Amino acid sequence: MHPPDADAVLVRHGDVGIKSRSVQTRMEERLVEDLRAHLDARGIDGRVAREYGRLVIHTADVEAATAAATDTFGVVSASPARIVDASLDAITDALAATARECYHGGTFGVDARRAGEHDFGSHDIGREGGQAVWETVEDDFDPAVDLDDPDRTFGVECRDARAFVFLEERDGPGGMPLGTQEPLVALVSGGIDSPVAAWLAMKRGAPVVPVYLDLGPYGGADHEARAVETVRHLAKWAPGRDLDVRRVPAGEAVERLDAEVGNTRMLSFRRFMYCVAERVARDVGAVGVVTGEAVGQKSSQTTANMAAVAGASDLPVHRPLLSWDKQDVVARARDLGTYRDATMNVGCDRLAPARPATAASAERVVAAEPDDLLDLAEAAADARDVVPVDPIAVEPEPEVSP
């Protein structure tokens, strides 16, 4: 819901604001560019500016622009707002007009914040604004003030020469603007975990380069299609960026591991994946690898087995889900829209031995695998091709009456 005559979206960031002045400036500029990209991708007419210690989207389409802002990494919250002069008269007039259109019963409160040089303070805004709201509606119903948990909150942010009047703060993803960290290769399998891990890396500002391993007869066209579909959902969060999937032929390696290696073959396959990812990373300028692994989730993901495979890559392997419970991963996948396409048996499950090793050593894993496994990985990475990815279309926001 927004005030009548709303003409802007007030955008708030979090972690960006604790950086040094120069770093904060660079990150805010990056966030401005990301907001513009989201608006452009959705065909929303608006101008993004850094104003009064906030980011502001000037637009007539405040509902759609707010939805775009709350899909932008680095945004903590956004409010469709009406801009008025930074005077008590202008603010109280706007609050009265908003109450007339949007307050029809229950308790209310005025949450006021002020920054800059003014001849009034936030308490004055709260007192005078609350009085204006009360007088506007008292002939229609009996208003009641509740400053702790009101049914209707009237928000005011007064900054320098202008003030913003709004009715809600809609949550964004938080994190850091995308592109403020160096890229990472994201191993995507078509399962539930890897898209969530990639999204979390993106949330912290790292663009991702998706890499999918084509497992040949152990995977299949449906397996690949679902993996690509989950990446399409990720691409919605990164308009204008390259999220095309790098497809690596891994069928030969998987067949050899199945035929030649016993209960450590899943660990050798992980070593193969890390080596593939490192080769791609060095080619595309990425500085690490991100996976959906979590401690104890599978036999290959025990702490001992993670240590056993760690030497396959010289690049860091980032595991954002390391301590997550599965139900939390599933909940996030549902929120992202990746869950439905990821609920399938992935091909590497067919590779798993009946009684896999759960506490292998690095020496045992290497001794059991083909001597040329990592050479196979580099050759497979070099033979990769690219699967184009178009982002999932964003549905227009429904009209919300003021």
Side-chain angles (χ1 to χ4, degrees), residues 242-281:
D242 175 14
L243 261 80
D244 291 345
V245 174
R246 277 62 174 179
R247 178 174 53 195
V248 175
E252 178 185 351
V254 172
E255 289 182 302
R256 286 190 58 184
L257 288 173
D258 194 20
E260 301 175 25
V261 183
N263 67 351
T264 60
R265 60 176 174 260
M266 286 304 299
L267 303 182
S268 289
F269 181 61
R270 289 205 175 276
R271 283 168 44 81
F272 176 87
M273 289 194 301
Y274 296 158
C275 186
V276 165
E278 179 176 346
R279 182 64 167 230
V280 175

Side-chain angles (χ1 to χ4, degrees), residues 31-231:
L31 185 51
V32 167
E33 293 303 314
D34 289 347
L35 287 166
R36 288 172 178 159
H38 277 274
L39 295 177
D40 290 345
R42 304 181 189 198
I44 301 168
D45 187 19
R47 178 175 62 86
V48 186
R50 296 169 58 216
E51 299 180 16
Y52 313 116
R54 296 289 194 202
L55 302 184
V56 180
I57 304 173
H58 297 275
T59 179
D61 196 352
V62 293
E63 289 295 329
T66 303
T70 53
D71 282 344
T72 304
F73 293 118
V75 172
V76 171
S77 67
S79 299
R82 177 182 174 184
I83 299 177
V84 299
D85 291 338
S87 69
L88 270 180
D89 286 344
I91 293 169
T92 55
D93 286 348
L95 287 170
T98 302
R100 191 174 299 113
E101 296 291 331
C102 305
Y103 179 33
H104 306 295
T107 59
F108 80 96
V110 176
D111 181 10
R113 303 163 220 175
R114 186 193 62 83
E117 297 295 328
H118 307 91
D119 58 1
F120 55 87
S122 57
H123 291 295
D124 299 311
I125 297 173
R127 184 182 64 254
E128 298 294 330
Q131 184 66 29
V133 170
W134 186 290
E135 292 175 353
T136 299
V137 301
E138 63 179 340
D139 290 340
D140 299 320
F141 59 89
D142 292 328
V145 174
D146 182 349
L147 300 182
D148 295 320
D149 187 24
D151 298 313
R152 169 67 66 212
T153 298
F154 295 85
V156 179
E157 286 201 18
C158 184
R159 294 178 170 271
D160 295 326
R162 291 197 283 183
F164 301 84
V165 176
F166 53 91
L167 290 167
E168 59 181 336
E169 297 183 16
R170 301 182 197 170
D171 291 339
M176 309 289 282
L178 191 61
T180 54
Q181 297 294 318
E182 294 301 313
L184 300 172
V185 160
L187 287 167
V188 293
S189 65
I192 294 170
D193 308 303
S194 57
V196 176
W199 184 87
L200 289 170
M202 295 165 69
K203 177 183 173 182
R204 296 308 301 172
V208 298
V209 179
V211 171
Y212 166 77
L213 275 66
D214 179 356
L215 304 181
Y218 289 77
D222 186 54
H223 180 216
E224 176 185 320
R226 294 188 182 216
V228 171
E229 190 68 11
T230 63
V231 176

